[in-house]
């Protein structure tokens, strides 16, 4: 037998072997490249209501087990929300709900499966951001006009709060020695203004004249310093914005300003700002007994005592339209008890998305916040 036929046979065998192996490799790569997993996430969900996550797998891999996990967007452990198997057409619709208002990261995990005869692919994961909003959105009240977004209790703050869409502005009222109602939280000017330069920083506000207060500027809060406004300035702004409501606190009504409630009510009446239960304004105060007496003397007046305790007998507050409740006491059971007594609940002061979400989930009717923009974004 000659050498030439043997050599030709050997080369032919090599070519056949090459033709047998190369297409198999190409087919395996093609299978991997062609595989697609499309997922439709519900970007917004309502708390307590399940949403559907739709999955389509191509090529079809029947009855693969799919699991949906979630965790807060800020991090933490993953929790299983739901699991489902694909249909014979490579599709799945998984119903799942998330536990509380807030932002979550949602992960879809698919059980491992074969792409080709000799190759396995581990879990495929798809991530999506889901925002959960409360079933009932509480009213956002801009605390001191939103003192973390503009100088507190100034016209700049109230104007900003209205501009970003806060439905209600909250403020504080003191009376000067000459009868002017000014918007100021503290009993002195020390913390919020540059009054130290004028030697009046530690003098009680009700012992100062209006012309003395006009000298100072509010410098607490972001933005340029602002003058101290009067209640009449805010009421004029509300006249121009009839959709905005007002929650106004009488500060220290028994300390040198005994007629504060009446003067506040007179000012609102003169401006045409209705403070009845069906109106757009309410008076609040820590002075529960004094506020009660004033409310009983003015039937139908919308008042809200400020409470820093757990309440057990809402029937004793029928003279009020609402309770302004400190956040640490604003549990779901406490709010439900107050609701059963016919009282709305305003929760103060909430300045993080988690606090705002928790109050909404507990059933708060309104949230009082220094960050109205954050609150509005949390519930939007």
């Amino acid at each position: 037998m000659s050498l030439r036929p043997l050599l030709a046979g050997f080369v032919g065998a090599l070519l056949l072997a090459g033709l047998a192996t190369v297409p198999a490799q190409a087919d395996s790569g093609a299978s991997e490249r062609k595989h697609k997993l499309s997922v439709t996430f519900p970007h917004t969900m309502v708390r307590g209501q399940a949403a559907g996550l739709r999955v389509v797998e191509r090529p079809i891999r029947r009855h693969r087990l799919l699991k949906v996990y979630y965790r807060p967007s800020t991090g933490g452990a993953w929790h299983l929300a739901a699991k489902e198997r694909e249909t014979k057409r490579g599709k799945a619709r998984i119903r799942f709900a998330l536990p509380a208002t807030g932002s979550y990261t949602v992960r879809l995990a698919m059980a491992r499966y074969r792409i080709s005869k000799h190759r396995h692919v581990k879990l495929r994961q798809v991530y999506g951001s889901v925002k959960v909003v409360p079933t009932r959105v509480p009213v956002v009240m801009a605390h001191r006009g939103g003192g973390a977004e503009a100088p507190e209790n100034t016209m700049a703050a109230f104007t900003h709060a209205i501009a970003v869409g806060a439905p209600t502005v909250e403020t504080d009222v003191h009376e000067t020695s000459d009868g002017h109602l000014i918007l100021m939280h503290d009993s002195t000017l020390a913390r919020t203004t540059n009054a130290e330069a004028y030697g009046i920083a530690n003098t009680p506000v009700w012992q100062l004249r209006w012309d003395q207060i006009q000298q100072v500027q509010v410098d607490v809060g972001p933005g340029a310093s602002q003058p101290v406004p009067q209640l009449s300035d805010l009421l004029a702004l509300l006249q121009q914005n009839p959709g905005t409501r007002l929650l106004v606190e009488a500060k220290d009504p028994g300390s040198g300003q005994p007629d504060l409630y009446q003067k506040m009510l007179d000012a609102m009446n003169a401006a045409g700002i209705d403070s009845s239960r069906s109106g757009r304004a309410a008076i609040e105060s820590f002075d529960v007994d004094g506020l009660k007496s004033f409310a009983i003397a003015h039937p139908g007046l919308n008042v809200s005592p400020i409470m820093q305790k757990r309440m057990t007998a809402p029937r004793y507050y029928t003279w009020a339209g609402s309770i302004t409740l400190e956040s640490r006491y604003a549990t779901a059971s406490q709010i439900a008890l107050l609701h059963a007594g016919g009282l709305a609940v305003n929760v103060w002061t909430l300045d993080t998305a988690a606090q705002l979400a928790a109050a909404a989930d507990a059933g708060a009717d309104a949230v009082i916040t220094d960050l109205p923009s954050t609150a509005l974004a949390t519930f939007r």
Side-chain angles (χ1 to χ4, degrees):
M1 186 174 181
S2 67
L3 182 61
R4 181 174 292 178
L6 288 173
L7 183 60
F10 179 73
V11 171
L14 288 175
L15 288 173
L16 287 172
L19 290 173
T21 57
V22 171
Q25 293 172 353
D27 183 64
S28 175
S31 297
E32 185 174 0
R33 286 195 301 273
K34 288 180 181 178
H35 182 271
K36 293 181 180 179
L37 184 69
S38 61
V39 181
T40 303
F41 279 99
H43 297 291
T44 301
M45 295 175 61
V46 176
R47 179 179 180 262
Q49 297 183 11
L53 185 149
R54 293 188 296 275
V55 182
V56 180
E57 186 184 358
R58 293 288 185 271
I60 296 171
R61 307 285 178 182
R62 299 183 183 182
H63 306 301
R64 307 304 181 194
L65 181 63
L66 307 178
K67 295 182 179 181
V68 176
Y69 296 89
Y70 70 90
R71 71 178 181 188
S73 296
T74 52
W78 289 97
H79 302 279
L80 179 65
K83 57 185 178 181
E84 188 60 76
R85 289 187 178 275
E86 291 181 0
T87 67
K88 63 182 180 180
R89 299 190 179 190
K91 298 180 180 181
R93 181 177 174 85
I94 308 173
R95 302 287 295 178
F96 70 100
L98 296 174
T101 294
S103 295
Y104 295 86
T105 300
V106 172
R107 182 180 79 186
L108 172 67
M110 179 181 292
R112 53 186 282 165
Y113 61 94
R114 290 185 177 184
I115 272 188
S116 66
K117 184 177 181 180
H118 303 293
R119 182 177 174 84
H120 287 77
V121 174
K122 293 184 179 180
L123 294 177
R124 288 183 177 270
Q125 300 174 348
V126 180
Y127 294 83
S129 178
V130 176
K131 183 175 182 180
V132 182
V133 296
T135 306
R136 186 171 114 185
V137 177
V139 173
V140 173
M141 296 181 169
H143 187 231
R144 306 176 196 173
E149 296 182 3
E152 68 174 61
N153 275 329
T154 64
M155 295 309 297
F158 302 123
T159 301
H160 170 75
I162 292 172
V164 300
T168 302
V169 293
E170 189 267 357
T171 191
D172 312 278
V173 174
H174 277 289
E175 183 182 0
T176 65
S177 63
D178 51 353
H180 290 262
L181 300 181
I182 65 167
L183 306 185
M184 177 67 56
H185 177 270
D186 297 3
S187 59
T188 70
L189 304 176
R191 180 184 64 88
T192 57
T193 74
N194 61 345
E196 187 68 35
Y198 301 93
I200 57 173
N202 297 308
T203 304
V205 170
W206 54 85
Q207 294 179 10
L208 295 173
R209 301 184 311 276
W210 170 237
D211 65 308
Q212 291 176 293
I213 291 174
Q214 284 182 295
Q215 302 175 80
V216 305
Q217 294 278 308
V218 177
D219 53 12
V220 170
S225 298
Q226 300 289 320
V228 177
Q230 297 189 70
L231 178 58
S232 58
D233 298 322
L234 176 55
L235 296 177
L237 179 65
L238 294 178
Q239 287 175 324
Q240 299 167 17
N241 296 273
T244 305
R245 301 174 67 86
L246 173 66
L247 179 63
V248 56
E249 180 182 347
K251 301 298 292 187
D252 305 311
S255 303
Q257 39 191 6
D259 298 325
L260 185 57
Y261 291 126
Q262 188 62 55
K263 290 183 177 180
M264 290 168 57
L265 180 59
D266 291 344
M268 288 189 284
N269 289 339
I273 305 298
D274 185 2
S275 55
S276 69
R277 296 280 181 93
S278 60
R280 59 186 290 211
I283 299 173
E284 63 176 351
S285 180
F286 283 97
D287 173 35
V288 177
D289 291 337
L291 188 62
K292 177 181 178 180
S293 297
F294 190 71
I296 292 174
H298 297 79
L301 184 66
N302 194 11
V303 298
S304 184
I306 305 175
M307 309 302 293
Q308 292 178 291
K309 66 177 184 179
R310 181 173 175 271
M311 302 179 66
T312 58
R315 65 183 181 276
Y316 294 132
Y317 298 88
T318 55
W319 47 269
S322 64
I323 300 293
T324 301
L325 189 62
E326 188 181 358
S327 59
R328 58 179 163 163
Y329 301 105
T331 62
S333 58
Q334 176 72 100
I335 292 175
L337 178 67
L338 294 172
H339 283 169
L343 295 163
V345 181
N346 313 318
V347 181
W348 62 283
T349 302
L350 309 169
D351 287 336
T352 68
Q355 291 173 333
L356 291 159
D361 290 346
D365 299 282
V367 291
I368 301 175
T369 176
D370 293 311
L371 293 162
S373 296
T374 298
L376 291 165
T378 298
F379 302 136
R380 189 172 293 128

